[in-house]
Amino acid sequence: MFTLELNPGQLTLQKLRRVAKEPVVVHFNPGCRQRIEESVATVKEVVAQGRVIYGINTGFGLLANKVIPTPELEQLQRSIVLSHAAGTGEMMSEATVRLLLILKINSLARGYSGIRVEVIETLMKLVNAEVYPCIPQKGSVGASGDLAPLAHMSTVLLGEGEVFHRGERLPGRRGLEIAGLAPITLGPKEGLALLNGTQASTAFALEGLFLAEDLFAAAMVSGSLSVEAALGSRRPFDPRIHEVRGHRGQIDTAATFSQLLEHSEIEDSHRECEAVQDPYSLRCQPQVMGACLDQIRHAAGVLLIEANAVSDNPLVFSDACDIISGGNFHAEPVALVADNLALVLAEMGALSERRIALLIDANLSKLPPFLVEKGGLNSGFMIAQVTAAALASENKSLAHPASVDSLPTSANQEDHVSMATFAARRLKEMGDNTAVILAVELLAACQGVDFRAPLKTSSKLEEARQLLRRQVPFYDQDRYFAPDIEKAKQLIRSGVYGAFVPEELLPSMGR
């Protein structure tokens, strides 16, 4: 558990990565209270003046033309929370909800939402007590914000709904008691401020980003080991090739491959070989992985902005005593970069699977068929490659862009939506698939390098090989294969291979 002092609008990717991985105790920077209180005062003034403002004293969506009498404003806010809590499917993980809550607190604390400090502090106390609302994964189209997921989050504040607390599922009222809280009554606009926003989509997308970064680092290592196992050339990583093309990701990726492969006995053994060119899956790694890196970096920039954004509606501008209805809840920026991350995950897996196929093919790799002695008696990596191929193919279907789909909602008032929540949610499944593909490659490449003994690979790649070999021994004859893949997958998912690439290469891994 770590302590996060929240300066609203100044979250970093590094802090968000920690939030996604471990419990957090969050505190306000006291300086943010004044703006929050000013926005609440503006809402009160508008109500006192009798001005008709969407979401404060009107209905919602197509019912925005219905004016609600002042005595019913508290009921209006309670009703929107309960009626909008209509999600379905499996519950978000506690880690996802924790990230969502931090994003929501950060947005509300910027002071443009007209919500009281006490309500924001209630959310903070839930986080600090590790009490996480039960939020179904499905039911949002990413505009008008993530209404259903955030409504389920908000039911707990009213003493309704359910929570998770250290793995146990409990009634929402019991969750409040654990956090030392009681149900609250929402004031004008507060229910809408809680429900509007892109925090569910953004939480899913951030998790996808962090996973893509971990897998990218692992793919750099497994891809380098495959170069060694297949006696691949170093010349495709020559910086002059990449400088003249000019793509930053490609340049940085080629340099990283060169660093990983530096000073290898295996390379020295075939420096004067007759091979002219390697297959694309080896030779074009800087171009393909570099393009993936550019997309990861772009997605990181967009998601960092969104993580610090005010994305509810309407917004309160206290300096002018003005409340403006707009559309910051539309999660199109999140949807587009989530679609790009899906392509990244699919391409990293597709390239890795081709390297596996290369390594098990004795005609191409000059290694024992299927990477095992006594072929025929032993099948070796034959079906492990089939598993990788199946998952690579599955990812192709999952990579279809979600953002190009839109179904009107709220009786055509909300006639274009982003589908950002699904766009981001499917990244976990795709990442799991890619992690397995990379796990098979890691096993295959280390097996191939072992067959090159007594020649040794570079010091960095030898360290990476030993990380695997401490958990999975050399495949000397057929054995139950699935546990080997699972151990390699968990090693990759742990993020340990991030230490093998430059700290500045991936956005959330730097300081």
Side-chain angles (χ1 to χ4, degrees):
M1 183 176 289
F2 76 104
T3 299
L4 174 64
E5 182 171 338
L6 188 65
N7 293 297
Q10 296 180 37
L11 284 172
T12 66
L13 290 171
Q14 291 74 24
K15 289 178 180 177
L16 289 166
R17 181 181 265 270
R18 287 197 68 180
V19 170
K21 286 193 171 183
E22 61 182 299
V24 57
V25 173
V26 59
H27 300 291
F28 264 141
N29 181 321
C32 69
R33 289 176 176 269
Q34 181 178 348
R35 183 178 290 276
I36 297 170
E37 291 167 354
E38 287 173 351
S39 74
V40 174
T42 299
V43 172
K44 289 181 178 178
E45 184 176 347
V46 165
V47 171
Q49 291 172 353
R51 290 162 55 186
V52 177
I53 302 291
Y54 171 72
I56 294 178
N57 50 14
T58 72
F60 306 103
L62 195 65
L63 303 177
N65 60 337
K66 301 290 185 181
V67 179
I68 309 301
T70 299
E72 297 178 355
L73 293 185
E74 285 184 1
Q75 181 61 38
L76 174 69
Q77 300 303 312
R78 180 179 177 85
S79 293
I80 189 176
V81 170
L82 297 178
S83 67
H84 284 44
T88 189
E90 293 183 7
M91 298 298 161
M92 295 181 189
S93 71
E94 293 187 26
T96 304
V97 176
R98 180 171 61 243
L99 187 55
L100 178 155
L101 286 167
I102 291 296
L103 294 172
K104 192 66 188 178
I105 291 164
N106 184 50
S107 178
L108 296 175
R110 287 191 58 188
Y112 294 96
S113 302
I115 190 167
R116 288 168 295 159
V117 170
E118 301 94 285
V119 180
I120 303 173
E121 287 180 332
T122 298
L123 293 174
M124 293 169 61
K125 288 176 182 177
L126 291 175
V127 172
N128 296 346
E130 299 179 56
V131 173
Y132 305 119
C134 292
I135 303 178
Q137 294 186 14
K138 299 181 181 182
S140 174
V141 295
S144 174
D146 292 316
L147 292 171
L150 294 174
H152 282 275
M153 174 198 78
S154 304
T155 57
V156 176
L157 306 184
L158 308 179
E160 305 282 351
E162 294 179 291
V163 301
F164 287 116
H165 177 61
R166 297 177 181 172
E168 187 178 2
R169 190 165 175 171
L170 302 166
R173 188 174 289 269
R174 175 61 185 141
L176 290 176
E177 292 172 357
I178 291 170
L181 297 166
I184 63 174
T185 300
L186 297 175
K189 192 186 179 301
E190 290 182 336
L192 189 57
L194 289 165
L195 269 58
N196 246 194
T198 64
Q199 287 77 33
S201 298
T202 306
F204 279 134
L206 282 167
E207 289 183 318
L209 170 69
F210 303 147
L211 178 53
E213 289 181 319
D214 290 340
L215 297 178
F216 183 93
M220 294 295 292
V221 172
S222 65
S224 297
L225 284 164
S226 289
V227 170
E228 287 284 73
L231 303 181
S233 173
R234 302 304 195 275
R235 291 185 65 78
F237 309 116
D238 188 310
R240 292 171 294 182
I241 297 172
H242 311 290
E243 291 288 349
V244 298
R245 194 178 197 189
H247 292 294
R248 186 75 254 165
Q250 180 178 327
I251 293 167
D252 293 346
T253 300
T256 301
F257 277 119
S258 293
Q259 292 165 15
L260 288 168
L261 290 160
E262 193 173 18
H263 304 309
S264 161
E265 292 179 5
I266 294 176
E267 178 197 10
D268 293 339
S269 73
H270 65 94
R271 195 181 297 274
E272 304 301 328
C273 70
E274 297 179 357
V276 178
Q277 289 185 330
D278 294 328
Y280 288 178
S281 60
L282 297 180
R283 180 168 28 125
C284 296
Q285 287 188 85
Q287 288 79 8
V288 178
M289 294 296 288
C292 290
L293 179 58
D294 283 335
Q295 293 304 317
I296 288 171
R297 287 170 170 174
H298 172 66
V302 171
L303 293 176
L304 179 59
I305 291 171
E306 194 67 19
N308 286 297
V310 181
S311 57
D312 63 291
N313 184 65
L315 298 179
V316 181
F317 297 92
S318 300
D319 53 351
C321 195
D322 204 0
I323 300 177
I324 307 175
S325 183
N328 280 3
F329 50 71
H330 201 296
E332 193 76 4
V334 179
L336 290 174
V337 296
D339 279 344
N340 286 344
L341 287 173
L343 296 175
V344 166
L345 293 169
E347 282 297 274
M348 289 195 297
L351 193 66
S352 175
E353 185 278 326
R354 287 293 80 203
R355 291 192 296 267
I356 299 166
L358 184 157
L359 292 174
I360 65 173
D361 187 337
N363 294 318
L364 292 174
S365 67
K366 310 306 179 188
L367 291 164
F370 301 106
L371 298 172
V372 71
E373 297 286 11
K374 297 182 180 180
L377 175 64
N378 294 310
S379 295
F381 281 68
M382 182 186 295
I383 303 305
Q385 185 268 329
V386 172
T387 295
L391 297 178
S393 180
E394 190 173 299
N395 271 354
K396 293 174 186 178
S397 296
L398 289 169
H400 179 81
S403 58
V404 298
D405 186 27
S406 177
L407 284 174
T409 60
S410 193
N412 284 305
Q413 171 75 3
E414 297 158 5
D415 56 353
H416 181 276
V417 297
S418 72
M419 298 297 178
T421 322
F422 170 67
R425 174 168 54 83
R426 51 79 195 263
L427 296 177
K428 182 181 185 300
E429 183 177 359
M430 293 187 68
D432 283 342
N433 288 342
T434 300
V436 172
I437 298 168
L438 291 171
V440 174
E441 184 189 9
L442 188 62
L443 292 165
C446 287
Q447 185 82 356
V449 168
D450 286 346
F451 275 122
R452 301 299 181 190
L455 298 175
K456 290 186 177 181
T457 183
S458 70
S459 59
K460 286 186 176 180
L461 293 179
E462 177 61 20
E463 183 183 348
R465 189 187 70 85
Q466 288 295 339
L467 277 174
L468 178 72
R469 284 288 172 252
R470 281 196 281 272
Q471 298 191 36
V472 182
F474 178 75
Y475 197 91
D476 57 348
Q477 61 182 6
D478 280 349
R479 61 175 181 254
Y480 186 20
F481 211 129
D484 289 3
I485 296 174
E486 182 62 24
K487 288 175 183 176
K489 174 190 169 184
Q490 292 306 319
L491 194 63
I492 288 168
R493 289 297 305 268
S494 74
V496 67
Y497 289 111
F500 289 84
V501 301
E503 186 180 77
E504 67 276 6
L505 191 71
L506 294 160
S508 81
M509 291 186 178
R511 292 190 178 89

